[in-house]
Amino acid sequence: MTDRALIDAAFAARERAYAPYSRFKVGAALLAADGRVFTGCNVENAGLTATSCAERTALFKAVSEGATAFTAIAVVGSMAGEQNTLVTSPCGVCRQALFEFTGPALRVIMAKSGDDYLVKTLGELLPLGFGPNNLA
Ligand code: THU
């Protein structure tokens, strides 16, 4: 799976974003170690705190389908009808949710387009992350 293919899957997922309140549409594509790709979009809610980000939608879909090891996630976001000007980086809650399963190694691909993107590890985005090892 190329970065480009994962980014394309994130853009396709973004089309299904339910974002009537912010109008900021986000798509994510999470690559499992077994090769499966799980996509997600943000799903907003009139009671705003019930909103799910695209990354957690993808993660929870994956875990509920039996995938718990992941190597990369692509994230794309922009206002409805507009092109990205900034990369969309996962929010703090999503960083923590992903860290649970991947630790610092996950590659986080933050894309403006299929050939304009930034890659960081989750460890760079969430230094000294708190995870399962802390409770062992
Ligand atoms: N959002 C995501 O889905 N992922 C991110 O990485 C950043 C923010 C969503 C949440 C909300 O629906 C909208 O974008 C504006 O914050």
Side-chain angles (χ1 to χ4, degrees):
M1 169 68 57
T2 62
D3 288 354
R4 178 67 181 254
L6 205 59
I7 292 166
D8 286 348
F11 272 112
R14 179 184 169 279
E15 292 301 311
R16 295 186 286 276
Y18 177 76
Y21 305 108
S22 73
R23 298 188 63 251
F24 190 75
K25 297 176 66 170
V26 186
L30 180 62
L31 178 60
D34 65 10
R36 285 186 287 171
V37 174
F38 296 90
T39 60
C41 60
N42 53 333
V43 182
E44 296 187 344
N45 191 279
L48 295 177
T49 53
T51 293
S52 177
C53 289
E55 298 90 324
R56 274 175 292 143
T57 303
L59 176 65
F60 297 154
K61 281 173 65 180
V63 174
S64 68
E65 296 295 330
T68 54
F70 309 101
T71 58
I73 187 168
V75 185
V76 301
S78 62
M79 297 302 292
E82 294 178 20
Q83 293 241 315
N84 307 45
T85 51
L86 298 172
V87 293
T88 296
S89 69
C91 80
V93 173
C94 289
R95 294 177 196 200
Q96 180 65 34
L98 290 163
F99 192 89
E100 177 73 18
F101 294 94
T102 69
L106 182 73
R107 294 178 68 244
V108 182
I109 302 163
M110 296 161 279
K112 294 188 196 178
S113 70
D115 54 17
D116 183 3
Y117 59 90
L118 177 68
V119 183
K120 299 279 186 188
T121 66
L122 186 57
E124 291 175 297
L125 298 180
L126 186 68
L128 296 174
F130 184 85
N133 291 344
N134 293 94
L135 299 179

